Amino acid sequence: MTDTSPPAAPAAAPSRRRLSLAWLGLVPFALFVGLFLIAPTMKIVIGAFQRADGSFTLENLIGLFTPSILASYWISIKISVASAALGALIGFLMAAAMVLGGLPRVIRAPLLTFSGVASNFAGVPLAFAFLATLGPLGLVTVWLRTEFGINLRAHGFNILSFWGLTITYIFFQIPLMILIITPALDGLKREWREAAQSLGATATQYWTSVALPILFPSLLGTFALLFANAFGAVATAIALTGSSLNIVPIMLFAQIRGDVLGNPHLGYAMAFGMILITALANILYIWLRTRSERWLK
């Protein structure tokens, strides 16, 4: 029997997808990122491999291994590690008390709102606040000396020192830790605790055997982010310590501003080293956060 049905019409060519106008909303952000992030970063990277006449050289990178510059990197790393460790510990305890400790829920919103503001409070205003509070003539310093006879300077504390800058950094490290670790704590399922309790586990055993192993990637990743956050802080360190503490941002500023012994291209190389260190810390944070999200989904 012959097929008398009409031949099938040829398939219509797929229409080209029109570019959505919604993408135009990203244009201002893309321009901002390109002009104030990508372009300056590329200038730093290129300048690290150039001489004053624009020719290629590796002398600037070799100059990073001089004792004074290595010492500044080491001090910056120690400050970043100390502030990240203390900020992570205190912030984790505060977030755990808020999420799992049975505190009133009315505390959560104000604490998270304050954390969002305080985590971005840095630079000259933060340096001034700590100088006005814990400086040689700061409010707390004078109050402790007049009311209790406690002289912080006599006990070795100086706001313009290693621990002074570390404490200043902790002010924005703790709120950042609270903001990042709170969703991870929210992801701990109640069934896990109930299952551990039904098997006879104590609260300590639950935390050491269940909760902390699950939270470990988030904790380590957040520590890496806090380290990068402190290592890249420039304005606060310069405004607070000036030239009294030999850290990378201060030495970099001295090189780029063109003093008698200044070498802008060596400053570019120092900035390039900071970019590499902070980039590695952020990559570690992203990788660990991705791993932790697998458990918390």
Side-chain angles (χ1 to χ4, degrees):
M1 183 175 181
T2 58
D3 187 5
T4 58
S5 59
S15 59
R16 295 182 178 180
R17 294 183 179 179
R18 294 182 179 179
L19 184 63
S20 174
L21 294 178
W23 288 97
L24 294 177
L26 295 179
V27 172
F29 176 74
L31 291 175
F32 184 85
V33 171
L35 291 174
F36 298 101
L37 180 61
I38 297 177
T41 301
M42 294 306 300
K43 179 177 175 60
I44 289 173
V45 173
I46 295 172
F49 295 92
Q50 287 181 333
R51 295 187 179 93
D53 59 0
S55 59
F56 176 82
T57 182
L58 293 176
E59 294 176 356
N60 299 320
L61 297 183
I62 296 174
L64 296 180
F65 295 93
T66 58
S68 60
I69 295 179
L70 286 177
S72 67
Y73 270 99
W74 180 236
I75 294 175
S76 295
I77 289 173
K78 289 194 295 183
I79 292 176
S80 301
V81 170
S83 64
L86 292 174
L89 177 61
I90 299 173
F92 174 76
L93 294 177
M94 293 178 63
M98 176 185 65
V99 177
L100 306 173
L103 292 178
R105 295 187 61 85
V106 69
I107 296 178
R108 180 178 179 123
L111 180 59
L112 292 178
T113 302
F114 172 78
S115 298
V117 175
S119 61
N120 294 286
F121 183 68
V124 177
L126 180 62
F128 173 77
F130 271 80
L131 282 173
T133 304
L134 294 173
L137 297 177
L139 178 65
V140 174
T141 304
V142 174
W143 179 71
L144 290 176
R145 184 170 61 244
T146 56
E147 297 295 331
F148 303 97
I150 300 175
N151 191 337
L152 295 180
R153 296 295 295 271
H155 287 80
F157 177 79
N158 183 5
I159 194 65
L160 307 180
S161 64
F162 172 90
W163 284 110
L165 187 58
T166 300
I167 292 174
T168 305
Y169 282 0
I170 290 175
F171 182 86
F172 56 76
Q173 297 282 57
I174 293 175
L176 183 59
M177 178 65 180
I178 293 174
L179 291 175
I180 297 176
I181 204 63
T182 296
L185 291 171
D186 286 331
L188 291 176
K189 295 180 174 58
R190 182 179 300 177
E191 293 83 356
W192 297 343
R193 177 186 288 271
E194 293 174 351
Q197 291 176 346
S198 64
L199 294 174
T202 62
T204 302
Q205 291 174 331
Y206 164 75
W207 275 100
T208 56
S209 301
V210 180
L212 287 180
I214 293 174
L215 292 173
F216 181 74
S218 294
L219 293 173
L220 188 58
T222 307
F223 173 82
L225 182 63
L226 295 180
F227 172 86
N229 190 41
F231 192 81
V234 177
T236 302
I238 294 177
L240 183 66
T241 64
S243 59
S244 61
L245 194 60
N246 187 28
I247 61 176
V248 177
I250 293 176
M251 289 196 66
L252 188 156
F253 177 71
Q255 294 290 340
I256 291 181
R257 69 182 178 182
D259 288 345
V260 177
L261 300 177
N263 181 357
H265 290 278
L266 179 58
Y268 291 151
M270 295 177 65
F272 178 64
M274 293 184 66
I275 291 173
L276 290 180
I277 293 175
T278 53
L280 289 174
N282 281 288
I283 291 172
L284 178 62
Y285 163 70
I286 294 172
W287 178 67
L288 289 170
R289 181 172 182 177
T290 303
R291 288 179 59 88
S292 66
E293 288 177 350
R294 299 176 185 175
W295 283 93
L296 299 175
K297 285 183 179 179

